[in-house]
Amino acid sequence: MRVLVIGSGAREHALCRALRHSPRASELFCAPGNGGTAAIAENVALDPMDFAACADWAAGHAIDLTIIGPDDPLGGGIVDVFQAHGLRVFGPTKAAARIESSKTWAKELMVRAGVPTARFAAFTARDAASRYLDARDRYPVVIKADGLAAGKGVVIAETAAEARAALDDFLVARKLGSAGQEVLIEEHLEGPELSLFALTDGERVVPMVPACDYKRAYDGDEGPNTGGMGAYSPPAFATPELLAEIETRILRPTVRALAAAGAPFRGLLYAGLMLTRDGPYVLEFNARFGDPETQVVLPRLKSDLFELALAVAEGRLDRVPALEWSTEASCGVVIASAGYPVAVEKGLPISGLDELDSDILAFHAGTRREPDGALVTAGGRVLTLVASGPTVAAARRRLYANVDRVRFHGAWHRTDIAAREEHGAAEGA
C-alpha cells in the first residue's frame, strides 16, 4: 500500500516512523516533510494548503491512504477535497474539524452534549468584552482566540489589565489575524492537565494511552504559550478509572454530538483536559494528532498504525483488535531556536545527532537538508528528542543525559519536563 502523510513537523516524522513498521505500508511519502522524514520516506514538494494540488498528486500516484497531520489543512477542508477525488483519507471533514477550528462552535457543541467544560462568553467587539470583564471580580481568566493560532491564541490573564491587553491584541491590533476576530473569555480551571487521543470512525471510539504536554515556554510553566515544549506518557495520575470516566463522560458524548450536528468525525480526536476537583473538564478539542504528544505516544504503540488509520477511514473501527501498547514509558523534550515562539534565525548548522545513544529517538520539525547534505535549522521548534524506560522517571533521566549533545547556535530547551514524576513514580534502572 502507498501512504502519504501531509505535514512537515515532528508529529509527521513520528507518524512516518510508526507507519514504517507496518508490513502493508510498502511505499511512504511525506509532503512536504523535513530533514528527518527524508531518511524514511520520500519527501514531496507540495504545499499542504494547496488542497487541489495535494489531491491531484495523490490520485496521480495511486496513493491508497493519506493521513493529514496539521490543523490548518483540516480546518480549511483538505479532507473534503480528497474525498471528492475518491481518495481514502484519515482526518475529519471541514465541518467536523470545527471542533478545533472554532472554539466557540466547539463550546456550544459541548454545552448541548452535556460535556463538562469551563463557563465562557464569546465576543467580536472589544467594548462588549471589556464590559463583561467589568462585571468580574475573580482572576485569573482565560482569553482565547476562536480560530487556529498555532498554540499562541490562549492568554491566562492574572489581572484585569492583562485581560484587556489580550483583548486589544486580538480584537483591535488583530495580531492573530482572522483567528482572533472572535474571542472567548473563560473561567480559569485549576488542576493537572492531561492529553488523551482517541481514534474514531464517526461512531466508535478507541482511546489511546494518555500523555501530558507542556505549553509554556520556560521552566516552571512560565513565559508565553507555545506549540508545545515537551511531553511524557503515561502520567501516574491517569488511572484506569479516570480514563474510563473520560471516555464515558467526554469522548463518546462528543462523537455522538458531532454526528447529530451533521458532522460525523473520522480521524483522531484529541481531548485537552483539566482534572479539577469536580472531575475532568475539557479545555479544548483538537481534530488531529497533537504535537509533541504524538512523539511520546506513538513509540509506545505496538499495534499497526496503518491498519488502524485505514479502518478509521473506511468506517470499520469495530473490526480491529484491541490496541496493544508497550509497558515502557516515554519522555520527550523540544529543542528550540533562540527567539522561539517569536522570531527565529534559520539556516543554522545542527550537530551532535550522531552522538545520541542508539535508542534515543530524534524527531525532526524545523530542519532541512542543504544540497550538500548538511542539516540546518528551518523553524522555531527544531527537534523533539524522546527516550523510553521502565518508568517515566527513568525515561526522563535517559532523555536529559542526551539532550545537550545536540547543538546549534542559540539552542535551548525546558529542563523540567516530567519532573513531577520523579518522586511519584517507582524508580527504574
Side-chain angles (χ1 to χ4, degrees), residues 18-229:
L19 290 164
R20 263 288 166 229
H21 292 158
S22 171
R24 293 190 67 201
S26 56
E27 294 184 74
L28 184 59
F29 305 87
C30 191
N34 58 42
T37 60
I40 57 174
E42 180 180 333
N43 284 351
V44 182
L46 291 169
D47 178 356
M49 295 305 293
D50 189 341
F51 306 156
C54 289
D56 286 342
W57 188 93
H61 289 78
I63 296 298
D64 296 293
L65 177 67
T66 299
I67 298 176
I68 312 298
D71 49 5
D72 283 338
L74 289 169
I78 190 171
V79 168
D80 306 70
V81 175
F82 269 67
Q83 289 178 343
H85 281 66
L87 296 165
R88 292 190 194 92
V89 59
F90 177 93
T93 62
K94 181 177 183 178
R98 283 180 294 175
I99 195 79
E100 177 174 9
S101 64
S102 173
K103 291 183 175 61
T104 302
W105 189 86
K107 280 284 198 178
E108 291 169 348
L109 182 89
M110 285 186 269
V111 170
R112 291 196 302 272
V115 171
T117 189
R119 292 189 294 271
F120 75 102
F123 302 92
T124 56
R126 197 270 186 197
D127 289 347
S130 184
R131 287 194 296 272
Y132 179 82
L133 290 175
D134 289 339
R136 294 192 60 86
D137 57 4
R138 293 186 62 186
Y139 282 83
V141 297
V142 182
I143 312 294
K144 290 183 178 179
D146 174 69
L148 300 174
K152 303 177 183 70
V154 178
V155 174
I156 300 174
E158 300 289 345
T159 66
E162 290 180 9
R164 288 187 171 83
L167 294 178
D168 288 340
D169 285 345
F170 294 170
L171 294 175
V172 180
R174 300 287 184 175
K175 289 187 176 180
L176 296 178
S178 61
Q181 64 188 6
E182 183 173 11
V183 300
L184 285 75
I185 302 177
E186 289 187 5
E187 68 172 331
H188 181 257
L189 301 176
E190 294 185 352
E193 292 189 34
L194 182 72
S195 299
L196 187 61
F197 296 167
L199 298 165
T200 175
D201 60 5
E203 297 180 32
R204 291 152 288 267
V205 177
V206 178
M208 303 182 86
V209 291
C212 283
D213 78 325
Y214 291 72
K215 285 287 189 282
R216 292 293 189 100
Y218 309 129
D219 286 4
D221 287 331
E222 299 291 335
N225 274 325
T226 70
M229 296 303 298

Side-chain angles (χ1 to χ4, degrees), residues 114-418:
V115 171
T117 189
R119 292 189 294 271
F120 75 102
F123 302 92
T124 56
R126 197 270 186 197
D127 289 347
S130 184
R131 287 194 296 272
Y132 179 82
L133 290 175
D134 289 339
R136 294 192 60 86
D137 57 4
R138 293 186 62 186
Y139 282 83
V141 297
V142 182
I143 312 294
K144 290 183 178 179
D146 174 69
L148 300 174
K152 303 177 183 70
V154 178
V155 174
I156 300 174
E158 300 289 345
T159 66
E162 290 180 9
R164 288 187 171 83
L167 294 178
D168 288 340
D169 285 345
F170 294 170
L171 294 175
V172 180
R174 300 287 184 175
K175 289 187 176 180
L176 296 178
S178 61
Q181 64 188 6
E182 183 173 11
V183 300
L184 285 75
I185 302 177
E186 289 187 5
E187 68 172 331
H188 181 257
L189 301 176
E190 294 185 352
E193 292 189 34
L194 182 72
S195 299
L196 187 61
F197 296 167
L199 298 165
T200 175
D201 60 5
E203 297 180 32
R204 291 152 288 267
V205 177
V206 178
M208 303 182 86
V209 291
C212 283
D213 78 325
Y214 291 72
K215 285 287 189 282
R216 292 293 189 100
Y218 309 129
D219 286 4
D221 287 331
E222 299 291 335
N225 274 325
T226 70
M229 296 303 298
Y232 69 93
S233 174
F237 55 79
T239 63
E241 294 78 16
L242 173 63
L243 298 177
E245 180 183 3
I246 293 168
E247 181 178 353
T248 300
R249 294 185 61 205
I250 293 173
L251 296 176
R252 292 186 181 279
T254 299
V255 169
R256 288 195 297 267
L258 283 160
F265 190 107
R266 283 188 177 182
L268 193 288
L269 183 64
Y270 160 9
L273 305 159
M274 180 73 79
L275 308 181
T276 75
R277 289 178 297 178
D278 298 320
Y281 274 57
V282 176
L283 295 175
E284 64 178 6
F285 279 113
N286 290 331
R288 36 71 192 184
F289 282 98
D291 183 343
E293 296 97 329
T294 300
Q295 294 92 287
V296 297
V297 168
L298 287 188
R300 300 186 61 209
L301 180 65
K302 296 174 70 175
S303 299
D304 188 321
L305 178 63
F306 171 79
E307 296 290 3
L308 293 170
L310 187 64
V312 167
E314 294 180 343
R316 52 177 181 82
L317 199 50
D318 57 328
R319 284 180 262 162
V320 301
L323 300 192
E324 294 184 41
W325 297 95
S326 168
T327 58
E328 292 255 288
S330 57
C331 184
V333 65
V334 169
I335 304 177
S337 293
Y340 180 76
V342 190
V344 299
E345 185 179 357
K346 300 178 182 180
L348 302 172
I350 301 168
S351 63
L353 286 174
D354 57 349
E355 300 172 27
L356 298 174
D357 292 344
S358 60
D359 58 343
I360 299 297
L361 302 176
F363 293 115
H364 293 232
T367 73
R368 72 168 185 268
R369 290 282 177 189
E370 297 284 52
D372 63 0
L375 186 70
V376 300
T377 63
R381 291 190 297 171
V382 178
L383 294 153
T384 305
L385 298 191
V386 176
S388 297
T391 66
V392 171
R396 181 177 191 272
R397 287 195 298 272
R398 297 268 304 120
L399 174 67
Y400 280 109
N402 279 268
V403 68
D404 287 329
R405 299 176 189 177
V406 176
R407 299 175 297 277
F408 54 88
H409 181 71
W412 65 278
H413 60 271
R414 281 186 62 156
T415 66
D416 61 347
I417 304 302

